[in-house]
Amino acid sequence: MKTLIIALVLFCCALATNAQTPSLVWTQEYPPSEGNHLDPNELQVWNGGLFLGGYTNFKSHVIRCNSVNGLTQWVKLDTTFNNNSIASHSQLNVLAGKNKTVNVSHQAANNNYRLVFRDASSGALLNTSSVYVGAPFLAVYGDSVVVVDVLNDIIFIYDEFGTQRSSFPIGANITAGRHPKVVGDKLTIFTTSFNGTYRNTVMRFDLATRQQTWRKDFMDSIGITTDGDVDSSGNCYVGMTVTGSLNPLYALWFRLCKLNGTNGAIIWDTMWLPNGSSAANEENFVQGVSISQYQNLILIGAQIRRDSLQWTSQKAGYLAAFDLDGHRKWSTRIVQHPQYVLNHVQGVKFHQGYFYALGKSFDNGQNPLSIGWIKKYAPDSMTGIQNQNEIAEKFSLSQNYPNPFNPVTKIQFSVPKKGLVNLTVYDILGREVEILVNGMKPAGNYEVSFDGVNLPSGVYFYRLKTDDFTDTKKMILMK
């Protein structure tokens, strides 16, 4: 039976790999601004900007790029620590309501960490704050920063200026983490725990009561890495790396499951071999998970390494897409630079009907240059815009529904002739929040979804603009 199951998985992988893959819009590379090493580990998308977090020549950096074309807008290095002693740390997030970025810098020599706050538009340094934690991972809770300390098993909450407001224990022997998520008052931690054996673990906390709601330990496999995303109902989509042997060096399988947001119970569960091989020399790691409810897709970003005991060109980036019911749509390998040893996908994000894959290529033993890159994809099935194939008699912009909404709403509009169409969401101060549509559209009636999961409650406006028509309406996000 086990042989039959593995054969079926391999067969399904072959079918999925040959399925239609997404269309590449552009690729932009980001060489180091100083030295010879750039390591981008974190990607956030907000207000027309792509924000890359990581380190350049052992200085923590934040890079802002234009989300339309990927061109660099600014690069900021943290020089507050001396002697180039800042080690790699990947955490970066955006305080949307305050137009701020926050990232973590780590001084390896003294094992010091600090939160660094910048203006998200200009990159100007606003303030820094020392945090006395070990291996912190960040999430945003309204205008506050949640710091998950995986070394000391503590959750801290800091305000927008870096002042600690509260803390409470995690109560678990966690050893690693990826990207904690906050939806409403609920914090979800995707991690690896250790209690004699490494396990993939997901935990849910109520930040209002500071209590753990549920915990799910995957006891049927040895876990290596865990990441995930959360939908508007609180359900979790968990991507995991698991091993088929007792040696944790060999990370063979990828696993994806959906957990009930109320109790953590498994709703569906699937596993596959990303390289199509169950040999003992595979080393594969899930690096990122992103979902889009209105596009009905889950995106997995990863690195896959065939023959982990040798430095071969088989070490590639990897993308896979599933629908929200766990059915695999496609998968593809990415080798940005074949002459480089490693071509990782470091993170993935959906945004405005596109998705972005952040990666890095480095170290072939001859050329020590390490570079970062972003790829933007826009397959037709992922635009999030539905043309209802009806004749539009006139220009119109309808009231969104539902309204108020939390956090997803739909907006309908009509254009009676082909032309350039722009649909943009603004906050109450008139600042651009998200561009929903921007391009040439044929005549028709359209419906587009807007997801405010990362925005604070409040009044927002959306404006439809064409060469011959402009209209603006108000909507209310109420969490």
Side-chain angles (χ1 to χ4, degrees):
M1 177 64 72
K2 184 175 181 181
T3 302
L4 176 62
I5 292 174
I6 291 177
L8 180 60
V9 169
L10 295 178
F11 175 71
C12 292
C13 285
L15 288 179
T17 302
N18 292 329
Q20 182 178 1
T21 54
S23 300
L24 179 65
V25 178
W26 50 252
T27 299
Q28 289 286 357
E29 294 192 342
Y30 305 95
S33 57
E34 63 174 58
N36 60 7
H37 192 79
L38 181 134
D39 190 347
N41 292 308
E42 183 78 5
L43 175 66
Q44 298 290 341
V45 191
W46 177 73
N47 197 25
L50 303 173
F51 297 88
L52 287 66
Y55 70 103
T56 299
N57 202 33
F58 299 100
K59 289 186 176 70
S60 173
H61 74 233
V62 179
I63 302 173
R64 176 172 173 144
C65 313
N66 188 307
S67 64
V68 175
N69 54 30
L71 296 179
T72 301
Q73 295 175 320
W74 48 255
V75 178
K76 301 297 180 181
L77 303 182
D78 183 5
T79 59
T80 54
F81 286 132
N82 297 322
N83 302 321
N84 292 340
S85 57
I86 298 178
S88 167
H89 205 74
S90 63
Q91 291 300 291
L92 165 74
N93 224 306
V94 177
L95 291 165
K98 298 297 181 179
N99 193 40
K100 293 181 178 181
T101 66
V102 55
N103 71 290
V104 174
S105 287
H106 176 208
Q107 186 180 36
N110 300 317
N111 202 31
N112 292 329
Y113 291 89
R114 71 171 72 230
L115 297 177
V116 180
F117 295 87
R118 295 185 180 276
D119 183 281
S121 299
S122 67
L125 180 64
L126 299 176
N127 60 282
T128 65
S129 175
S130 295
V131 289
Y132 301 99
V133 299
F137 292 86
L138 302 184
V140 168
Y141 176 41
D143 292 333
S144 300
V145 181
V146 178
V147 178
V148 179
D149 181 351
V150 301
L151 184 63
N152 299 303
D153 294 340
I154 301 174
I155 297 171
F156 297 90
I157 299 179
Y158 292 82
D159 66 17
E160 60 169 303
F161 304 105
T163 301
Q164 182 183 324
R165 295 304 183 187
S166 62
S167 65
F168 57 97
I170 296 175
N173 296 317
I174 60 178
T175 61
R178 291 294 297 170
H179 304 107
K181 298 291 192 304
V182 175
V183 175
D185 290 325
K186 303 300 188 292
L187 167 69
T188 306
I189 299 175
F190 305 94
T191 185
T192 304
S193 61
F194 182 77
N195 189 10
T197 304
Y198 290 98
R199 304 292 186 192
N200 302 106
T201 298
V202 181
M203 290 177 285
R204 171 66 54 81
F205 293 86
D206 189 317
L207 292 174
T209 63
R210 299 179 177 81
Q211 298 295 318
Q212 181 176 297
T213 305
W214 52 260
R215 170 175 174 159
K216 173 63 179 177
D217 292 298
F218 292 86
M219 304 300 294
D220 53 351
S221 61
I222 298 176
I224 307 297
T225 60
T226 313
D227 197 20
D229 205 350
V230 181
D231 67 22
S232 59
S233 299
N235 300 312
C236 302
Y237 300 83
V238 188
M240 297 169 278
T241 307
V242 299
T243 179
S245 71
L246 295 179
N247 187 344
L249 172 65
Y250 303 127
L252 306 179
W253 296 81
F254 285 169
R255 183 175 184 179
L256 178 66
C257 69
K258 179 179 180 179
L259 303 183
N260 185 295
T262 302
N263 54 24
I266 294 177
I267 297 174
W268 53 256
D269 192 3
T270 185
M271 291 177 63
W272 73 102
L273 294 165
N275 265 328
S277 170
S278 59
N281 59 357
E282 298 286 337
E283 190 175 357
N284 310 312
F285 297 99
V286 172
Q287 299 283 78
V289 178
S290 185
I291 67 167
S292 175
Q293 287 181 257
Y294 59 86
Q295 293 163 347
N296 190 36
L297 282 174
I298 311 164
L299 188 64
I300 304 290
Q303 63 183 62
I304 55 176
R305 303 180 180 184
R306 179 168 295 167
D307 194 358
S308 63
L309 299 182
Q310 299 181 30
W311 295 102
T312 72
S313 61
Q314 298 296 321
K315 299 169 176 62
Y318 177 83
L319 296 172
F322 294 75
D323 66 25
L324 296 182
D325 293 319
H327 303 120
R328 192 162 175 197
K329 310 298 288 185
W330 53 260
S331 64
T332 187
R333 296 171 74 250
I334 298 175
V335 181
Q336 178 68 9
H337 288 282
Q339 74 274 23
Y340 280 48
V341 171
L342 300 175
N343 289 277
H344 296 171
V345 172
Q346 298 286 88
V348 289
K349 288 288 183 183
F350 281 104
H351 188 65
Q352 296 180 3
Y354 301 92
F355 76 80
Y356 300 84
L358 172 70
K360 64 179 179 180
S361 302
F362 67 100
D363 192 10
N364 65 354
Q366 298 176 356
N367 182 357
L369 180 67
S370 172
I371 60 175
W373 42 266
I374 293 180
K375 293 179 180 291
K376 180 178 181 178
Y377 295 89
D380 293 339
S381 61
M382 297 177 59
T383 62
I385 304 170
Q386 300 177 12
N387 187 335
Q388 299 175 357
N389 295 319
E390 299 175 357
I391 298 175
E393 297 181 352
K394 62 179 181 179
F395 289 104
S396 67
L397 178 64
S398 300
Q399 185 65 49
N400 66 299
Y401 66 97
N403 188 43
F405 66 99
N406 179 25
V408 178
T409 189
K410 295 182 182 295
I411 300 170
Q412 293 182 340
F413 63 93
S414 300
V415 290
K417 63 180 182 178
K418 182 179 179 179
L420 289 172
V421 177
N422 178 277
L423 179 63
T424 301
V425 177
Y426 300 89
D427 66 15
I428 197 169
L429 298 178
R431 297 176 299 193
E432 182 182 291
V433 172
E434 185 168 332
I435 301 172
L436 301 177
V437 182
N438 189 30
M440 189 69 66
K441 296 297 175 187
N445 300 303
Y446 291 85
E447 181 179 272
V448 60
S449 294
F450 171 65
D451 190 345
V453 66
N454 295 318
L455 297 172
S457 297
V459 174
Y460 294 85
F461 298 90
Y462 57 98
R463 184 183 68 181
L464 179 69
K465 185 176 182 180
T466 72
D467 291 337
D468 304 306
F469 178 81
T470 300
D471 193 12
T472 302
K473 293 189 181 297
K474 181 174 71 174
M475 59 183 175
I476 299 173
L477 173 60
M478 186 177 296
K479 295 184 175 180

